[in-house]
Amino acid sequence: MFDIEYLKSQTVLFVEDEELARDILAKILSKIFKTVITAANGLEGLEKFKEAKSSTNEIDLIISDINMPIMNGLDMLENIREIDAIIPVIFVTARNETSNILRAIDLNVSNYIIKPVQTDILLKKIADACEKKYISKQLDDKKEELENYLEAVDHVALIYRMDDNGKITFGNSSFLEESLYTKEELENLNLTDLIHPDIPKDAIDKTWEFIRKGEVWSGNTKFITKDKEIFYLKNTIFKLKNNSKTEYITIGFSTTKESTEKREFQKKVVKSIQEFNKREYSYKKLINELNDNLKQLESYIPRLQQELEEQKAKTMSKHRQLEHYEMQMHNVDEKYYGHMTVKSKEVDEYSKIISTLKQEKTALIEKNKDSQFEIEATKRELALLTKTGEQKNKRINNLSDVIRSLESKIRDLTNPPS
């Protein structure tokens, strides 16, 4: 069934020479289609079709009037058919002209509608015109989806085909990869060449008997590669009859890893059981030894209880001695505390005296500094006075010499020689 939502992804070319009719119908079409391209005549419509064809936004449907100036709709379609032979076209015409309709049929027109255009009729004719492309797209999508599924299956499933005699006629890439055979080598083999020799012949015969009846067989099978390596498949085999030819298709999934892990797990279980039995024997032996030791220890219990009682008595005696010592120590502590209190007071007094002496010492030091300063000043003054005295004495001596000299001269003057 056609889905109208499909049109929201389509582009329509609408060709109409009457501007009002073109604008009205273009608005209606814009609600239905993704893109609406308009043209005023056939020549303009042809140019816009060519332009869209060369771009990524190709036109999916053409709705056109027939009678238009410059180029009519039929001539436009004739030119378009030289470019695209399948694009759906709906003609809109004001009159029912047999000649135009016959020519339109020859040009593979999808449908036509008589003016005035009724929206519901137009929508139905659009759906009819686009249905073929819609179905084609649906088929393409399904085909692509199926191809994706087959590709996915081909990657995960091992598929081979055989005839009624067990001859291999086909093997997919996964089966070839697992079996290590080439396509040509595989097609020259029989199923018995691939089945591991461990599989009994009667089991193979029963399987053939089952699938030849048209029943679907499923189960695990052990195979052997070209290099004689083992691989496992979980197979589903069914009969496929195509005309007079009967074939058997096998779809398998590799369980080699799981089978190997299962066998390894079984080996580990057996080994674990063996180790458990060994440990169990060791544990039993150890339990017996412990029981013997327990009995021996139980025989020591009465003697140990007696020693415990004796030890308790000794402990009580020691405890009483300890209490006595603690009492004596308490008395000593009180005496010591009183003595220490007195000594502490003496220390405080000595500290105060020492502090006072330190202060006095500091004052004396400052006073001594001042005295030293005064002494130095006095020394400098004394030295200066001494120097001055020496100078004065020297001057006095000089004056004394002068006086003596003058007195001598005076005596000489007063006492002339006779």
Side-chain angles (χ1 to χ4, degrees):
M1 183 177 179
F2 183 76
D3 186 0
I4 197 70
E5 291 296 318
Y6 169 72
L7 298 177
K8 292 188 181 298
S9 64
Q10 303 295 289
T11 298
V12 62
L13 171 63
F14 177 45
V15 187
E16 171 62 63
D17 62 317
E18 295 181 12
E19 184 177 358
L20 180 60
R22 184 171 65 246
D23 291 343
I24 292 172
L25 195 53
K27 288 180 180 179
I28 296 172
L29 293 173
S30 65
K31 296 178 181 179
I32 302 171
F33 290 91
K34 175 186 175 183
T35 306
V36 178
I37 301 172
T38 59
N41 55 67
L43 182 61
E44 186 180 344
L46 177 61
E47 293 301 322
K48 289 193 175 182
F49 179 82
K50 289 179 179 179
E51 183 182 341
K53 193 73 176 176
S54 62
S55 68
T56 57
N57 187 27
E58 289 193 34
I59 293 169
D60 302 292
L61 172 66
I62 299 172
I63 301 174
S64 176
D65 193 3
I66 292 179
N67 299 305
M68 293 180 293
I70 304 175
M71 179 184 286
N72 64 37
L74 291 170
D75 292 339
M76 179 192 70
L77 180 57
E78 187 174 1
N79 284 275
I80 287 174
R81 284 294 180 231
E82 294 177 1
I83 304 170
D84 191 325
I86 61 172
I87 184 170
V89 179
I90 299 174
F91 274 137
V92 180
T93 182
R95 50 189 179 275
N96 193 348
E97 298 177 352
T98 305
S99 59
N100 286 341
I101 293 173
L102 291 175
R103 188 181 174 194
I105 291 171
D106 290 338
L107 293 171
N108 192 25
V109 70
S110 302
N111 216 320
Y112 74 95
I113 185 170
I114 304 297
K115 292 181 179 180
V117 176
Q118 296 182 31
T119 305
D120 56 340
I121 296 175
L122 177 63
L123 189 60
K124 184 178 184 307
K125 291 185 181 293
I126 289 172
D128 292 340
C130 295
E131 186 175 15
K132 182 178 179 181
K133 187 176 181 181
Y134 171 73
I135 293 172
S136 177
K137 184 179 183 304
Q138 292 290 99
L139 290 174
D140 289 341
D141 291 344
K142 291 295 181 184
K143 183 179 178 182
E144 184 181 358
E145 183 180 358
L146 181 60
E147 288 175 352
N148 291 333
Y149 287 152
L150 291 175
E151 185 180 357
V153 169
D154 191 58
H155 283 125
V156 299
L158 287 79
I159 302 172
Y160 63 90
R161 188 168 58 235
M162 52 191 173
D163 62 16
D164 199 45
N165 296 318
K167 185 179 182 300
I168 305 298
T169 58
F170 168 79
N172 74 338
S173 58
S174 295
F175 189 80
L176 294 173
E177 183 180 351
E178 187 75 20
S179 66
L180 304 179
Y181 286 102
T182 65
K183 182 180 178 182
E184 293 74 16
E185 291 172 337
L186 189 67
E187 291 176 354
N188 291 323
L189 298 176
N190 193 282
L191 179 63
T192 53
D193 298 321
L194 298 171
I195 299 294
H196 196 276
D198 289 351
I199 305 296
K201 185 177 180 301
D202 59 339
I204 299 174
D205 293 339
K206 286 180 181 179
T207 302
W208 273 110
E209 183 180 350
F210 189 79
I211 61 176
R212 281 181 177 132
K213 292 178 182 179
E215 302 288 344
V216 177
W217 182 88
S218 294
N220 294 314
T221 308
K222 187 177 182 181
F223 289 85
I224 188 168
T225 68
K226 178 182 176 180
D227 294 343
K228 307 305 178 185
E229 297 289 336
I230 296 171
F231 68 97
Y232 296 85
L233 293 182
K234 185 175 182 180
N235 294 317
T236 298
I237 308 174
F238 56 91
K239 185 178 181 180
L240 183 66
K241 193 166 185 178
N242 186 9
N243 296 326
S244 60
K245 185 179 180 181
T246 300
E247 290 184 316
Y248 299 88
I249 307 296
T250 302
I251 300 176
F253 296 91
S254 177
T255 59
T256 303
K257 183 179 179 182
E258 291 81 355
S259 299
T260 303
E261 289 177 350
K262 185 177 180 180
R263 290 198 305 275
E264 291 298 323
F265 176 73
Q266 290 173 345
K267 289 180 181 178
K268 288 180 180 179
V269 169
V270 172
K271 186 177 180 181
S272 297
I273 291 172
Q274 292 173 346
E275 291 178 353
F276 175 78
N277 290 334
K278 290 179 181 179
R279 288 197 300 270
E280 185 182 21
Y281 173 77
S282 300
Y283 292 153
K284 286 181 178 179
K285 184 177 179 182
L286 180 61
I287 288 170
N288 291 331
E289 292 176 355
L290 291 173
N291 285 330
D292 293 339
N293 291 336
L294 181 61
K295 290 178 181 178
Q296 186 176 4
L297 291 172
E298 286 176 346
S299 64
Y300 294 153
I301 289 175
R303 182 159 55 87
L304 291 173
Q305 287 179 340
Q306 183 179 358
E307 291 179 357
L308 180 61
E309 293 297 330
E310 293 175 355
Q311 192 65 38
K312 282 182 179 180
K314 291 179 180 179
T315 302
M316 290 298 294
S317 176
K318 296 292 183 183
H319 183 68
R320 286 192 293 270
Q321 291 180 5
L322 181 60
E323 290 179 345
H324 177 69
Y325 292 149
E326 287 179 348
M327 183 62 71
Q328 289 180 343
M329 288 300 295
H330 179 69
N331 295 333
V332 170
D333 288 342
E334 287 183 347
K335 292 179 182 179
Y336 177 75
Y337 179 75
H339 180 70
M340 289 301 296
T341 302
V342 173
K343 292 298 180 183
S344 177
K345 290 179 179 179
E346 292 178 357
V347 168
D348 290 339
E349 291 176 358
Y350 291 148
S351 296
K352 290 178 181 178
I353 293 169
I354 290 169
S355 177
T356 302
L357 291 173
K358 284 182 177 179
Q359 291 176 358
E360 291 178 355
K361 180 181 178 182
T362 302
L364 289 173
I365 289 171
E366 293 296 328
K367 190 174 181 180
N368 185 42
K369 287 181 180 179
D370 294 339
S371 299
Q372 289 292 333
F373 179 76
E374 291 177 0
I375 290 169
E376 291 296 327
T378 303
K379 284 182 177 180
R380 288 193 295 272
E381 186 178 357
L382 181 60
L384 181 60
L385 291 172
T386 302
K387 185 176 180 181
T388 302
E390 288 176 352
Q391 291 176 351
K392 288 181 177 182
N393 287 330
K394 186 176 181 181
R395 188 175 178 184
I396 289 169
N397 290 328
N398 291 334
L399 290 172
S400 295
D401 291 337
V402 171
I403 291 170
R404 281 194 297 269
S405 176
L406 290 173
E407 286 179 348
S408 177
K409 287 179 180 183
I410 291 170
R411 278 194 306 268
D412 291 337
L413 291 174
T414 56
N415 296 312
S418 15

